[in-house]
């Protein structure tokens, strides 16, 4: 059901410093910050030959990333995102298998439908699915 790895998301306490580090030390192609108010984050995508890295920085008072950074002040891997052909079919299959879907299907940073799966159901890893 899952396709390729779309991105690995890293919560960062300092978005400018993280971008500068990846651009300078790693020579990465770092995109521009993009506010995603529906998700409570500012994102920056780093393009790699085979996938992307997504920096997550809190946006607004109710940002889920703010809570993550309180527990992990240095930042860290927040989630991984896999591609699926049909997000509703994927959701229905996962629910039938007993997986917990967090919230409703939303439009993500790539303007495509996304949903999240509870980390306790996936070996401690928060999983995002994105329809391609």
């Amino acid at each position: 059901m899952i396709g390729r790895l779309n991105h690995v998301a890293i919560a960062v306490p300092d978005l400018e410093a993280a971008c500068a580090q990846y651009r300078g030390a790693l020579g990465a192609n770092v995109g521009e910050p993009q506010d995603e108010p529906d998700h409570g984050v500012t994102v920056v995508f780093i393009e790699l030959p085979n996938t992307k890295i997504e920096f997550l920085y809190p946006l607004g008072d109710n940002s889920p990333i703010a809570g993550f950074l309180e527990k992990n002040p240095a930042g860290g891997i927040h989630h991984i995102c896999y591609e699926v052909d049909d997000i509703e079919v994927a959701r229905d299959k996962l629910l039938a298998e007993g997986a917990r879907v967090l919230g409703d299907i939303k439009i993500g940073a790539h303007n495509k439908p996304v949903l999240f799966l509870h980390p306790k159901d996936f070996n401690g890893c928060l999983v995002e699915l994105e329809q391609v």
Side-chain angles (χ1 to χ4, degrees):
M1 179 176 68
I2 62 173
R4 67 184 283 272
L5 176 66
N6 184 280
H7 65 268
V8 175
I10 303 172
V12 298
D14 185 331
L15 189 59
E16 288 181 27
C19 290
Q21 179 185 45
Y22 269 64
R23 189 179 296 112
L26 297 176
N29 179 16
V30 178
E32 294 298 317
Q34 172 182 326
D35 289 345
E36 296 293 332
D38 289 346
H39 297 275
V41 296
T42 298
V43 300
V44 171
F45 284 99
I46 297 142
E47 297 288 333
L48 304 176
N50 59 342
T51 192
K52 295 181 279 296
I53 300 294
E54 177 186 39
F55 285 152
L56 301 172
Y57 184 77
L59 176 66
D61 295 335
N62 296 322
S63 172
I65 300 306
F68 181 91
L69 289 171
E70 283 176 21
K71 295 175 190 160
N72 306 279
I77 293 176
H78 182 263
H79 69 267
I80 57 173
C81 178
Y82 299 113
E83 296 177 353
V84 296
D85 290 329
D86 187 319
I87 198 133
E88 291 179 2
V89 168
R91 176 200 59 204
D92 294 346
K93 179 181 181 345
L94 287 157
L95 288 170
E97 294 285 330
R100 289 172 278 183
V101 174
L102 301 174
D104 297 320
I105 295 171
K106 294 183 178 182
I107 299 301
H110 298 117
N111 292 316
K112 296 179 181 177
V114 300
L115 62 79
F116 286 87
L117 305 172
H118 201 292
K120 288 185 179 176
D121 296 338
F122 291 91
N123 305 296
C125 183
L126 179 63
V127 173
E128 180 183 17
L129 299 179
E130 178 177 290
Q131 182 172 298
V132 292

